[in-house]
Amino acid sequence: MNAASLDKSARLQRVAELLADGRWYSTLDIVVGAGVCAVNSCVAELRANGIPVACRRVGRERFEYRRLDVADAAVEAA
């Protein structure tokens, strides 16, 4: 995958800004809040740009995402 550069992508900047508070956001929250469509692709691109993002499944069909700080990322990787 060719990830867009965070400093050149307004789309990724909007998603990163939304996730910056560390709260959990559903896919729909991100679609509406950041004005993007392919949330999973945006998350993958943020990760490729070095921004740690966690994903969790809530129920059968709902996913939520949040940005991790450095300490959270180390704990999650263990």
Side-chain angles (χ1 to χ4, degrees), residues 50-71:
I51 296 177
V53 178
C55 176
R56 70 179 179 187
R57 187 178 204 152
V58 181
R60 253 180 197 240
E61 298 178 11
R62 180 179 165 145
F63 290 88
E64 294 181 335
Y65 302 88
R66 77 177 181 104
R67 182 173 175 168
L68 301 172
D69 64 34
V70 176

Side-chain angles (χ1 to χ4, degrees), residues 6 9 15 23 26 31-33 44 53 64 71 78:
L6 181 59
S9 173
V15 176
R23 291 181 21 213
S26 71
V31 166
V32 173
V53 178
E64 294 181 335

